[in-house]
Amino acid sequence: MAKKQKTKKIKLTNSQKKIIAKRQLKMRNRLILRQFGRLRTVFKQLRGEIDPDEQLFISELAWETFSTQLHEQLKKGMLETVAETSNFLVTHRGIDKNLIPAVKNKTLKKLGKEVIAEKVTNIKETTKKTINKIIVNGQAGGKNIRDIAKEITQKVKGMEKTRAMIIARTETATTSTTTYLEGLIKAGLPKTWRHVGGGKTDRPTHLALDNVTIEDASEPFSNGMMCPHDLNADVSELIRCHCELV
């Protein structure tokens, strides 16, 4: 079992924390764009399955294919993010590379098959509900099948940009920060919450935690979260949050 204390504790200045946070954000944005591209393709393929001559519009087989592809891309993005964040911990926080296998294993256990499967189910069901609402409203308004299919096509096309990006941002941030937190815990380093403004989406509890440091990284912050983008936090704490853990 890896020892917890293997990394020399060097107290970071506010300037150093700011630099690390910016570099983290840059790394994460790069990962988000890659994942966005993959997820956008999945939604695009779903759009291609819309049949303008069928009452069901999208077959059950198409939905299953959508689920399978989502699972594959979420897993791919997770593994890529864990790997790059682990490397970041070594290069920017000086964490002993011998601790990295344990960091990766702990993170992957937290973000295992059941977690990914639940995320896929939620995405699929939310997408289905959106499409079903269009169908119900269209039928109630006397629209014909082709007009309803056209509206569904436009909605899914919009999802290729908006929904795919929201999912990519949320999932990449959660995976990256979970990995980072595990690295700090394994190395026995303190953790600092860095608030990165989101404008209208600023949360008072996140603002209050800006630059708050906890010496024992295994302890939660005052808002009950272990870190920004906490895997176990309510979704209201995650969407469009740009905070960083340093």
Side-chain angles (χ1 to χ4, degrees), residues 11-27:
K11 188 173 182 179
L12 298 175
T13 64
N14 286 336
S15 178
Q16 289 173 320
K17 289 177 183 177
K18 186 176 181 179
I19 291 171
I20 290 174
K22 282 186 175 181
R23 290 178 180 175
Q24 267 198 89
L25 188 59
K26 185 177 180 180
M27 173 194 69

Side-chain angles (χ1 to χ4, degrees), residues 72-91:
E72 290 175 355
Q73 299 312 327
L74 286 176
K75 183 178 179 181
K76 186 173 183 178
M78 178 189 71
L79 293 173
E80 181 181 54
T81 301
V82 169
E84 292 215 20
T85 305
S86 295
N87 184 60
F88 188 94
L89 286 165
V90 174
T91 58

Side-chain angles (χ1 to χ4, degrees), residues 22 41 63 97 101 106 157 164 186 207-208 234 239 246:
K22 282 186 175 181
T41 298
W63 280 116
K97 64 181 180 180
K106 189 65 179 292
K157 188 175 182 180
K186 290 292 182 185
L207 280 167
D234 186 84
I239 299 297
V246 177

Side-chain angles (χ1 to χ4, degrees), residues 40 43-44 47 50 150-163:
R40 188 175 185 179
F43 277 99
K44 186 176 181 179
R47 176 161 59 93
I50 298 170
K150 185 177 180 180
E151 189 174 345
I152 293 173
T153 298
Q154 290 302 313
K155 189 66 177 180
V156 177
K157 188 175 182 180
M159 289 182 185
E160 292 170 25
K161 295 181 180 179
T162 55
R163 190 97 194 283

Side-chain angles (χ1 to χ4, degrees), residues 34-241:
R34 291 179 194 165
Q35 186 68 341
F36 167 63
R38 291 190 285 258
L39 293 174
R40 188 175 185 179
T41 298
V42 175
F43 277 99
K44 186 176 181 179
Q45 290 173 339
L46 178 66
R47 176 161 59 93
E49 293 293 334
I50 298 170
D51 192 332
D53 297 314
E54 292 289 338
Q55 290 281 357
L56 293 176
F57 299 101
I58 300 177
S59 69
E60 193 56 39
L61 178 60
W63 280 116
E64 288 307 310
T65 300
F66 178 67
S67 295
T68 300
Q69 291 174 337
L70 270 177
H71 188 280
E72 290 175 355
Q73 299 312 327
L74 286 176
K75 183 178 179 181
K76 186 173 183 178
M78 178 189 71
L79 293 173
E80 181 181 54
T81 301
V82 169
E84 292 215 20
T85 305
S86 295
N87 184 60
F88 188 94
L89 286 165
V90 174
T91 58
H92 289 78
R93 291 307 308 269
I95 289 180
D96 189 332
K97 64 181 180 180
N98 292 318
L99 289 174
I100 296 303
V103 171
K104 288 182 177 180
N105 287 338
K106 189 65 179 292
T107 303
L108 293 176
K109 281 184 180 180
K110 285 187 174 182
L111 301 166
K113 293 180 180 179
E114 290 184 3
V115 174
I116 295 178
E118 184 179 356
K119 291 179 184 296
V120 169
T121 298
N122 288 340
I123 294 169
K124 176 184 172 182
E125 292 308 311
T126 300
T127 306
K128 269 189 170 184
K129 285 179 182 178
T130 301
I131 291 175
N132 286 338
K133 187 176 180 180
I134 293 173
I135 295 171
V136 171
N137 290 341
Q139 291 174 337
K143 290 184 178 180
N144 61 43
I145 292 176
R146 284 189 168 274
D147 285 341
I148 293 174
K150 185 177 180 180
E151 189 174 345
I152 293 173
T153 298
Q154 290 302 313
K155 189 66 177 180
V156 177
K157 188 175 182 180
M159 289 182 185
E160 292 170 25
K161 295 181 180 179
T162 55
R163 190 97 194 283
M165 178 54 81
I166 290 173
I167 295 168
R169 284 189 182 282
T170 304
E171 299 308 322
T172 302
T174 296
T175 301
S176 181
T177 311
T178 300
T179 308
Y180 198 94
L181 175 63
E182 288 304 323
L184 296 181
I185 293 173
K186 290 292 182 185
L189 294 175
K191 63 182 180 183
T192 300
W193 187 300
R194 296 286 299 188
H195 177 267
V196 181
K200 295 180 180 179
T201 62
D202 285 348
R203 297 165 175 85
T205 54
H206 293 198
L207 280 167
L209 285 171
D210 187 31
N211 214 31
V212 170
T213 297
I214 294 182
E215 291 301 318
D216 185 350
S218 64
E219 292 295 322
F221 286 96
S222 61
N223 64 351
M225 295 172 66
M226 289 298 295
C227 57
H229 318 288
D230 190 333
L231 177 65
N232 298 309
D234 186 84
V235 68
S236 63
E237 298 280 2
L238 308 177
I239 299 297
R240 295 185 176 88
C241 173

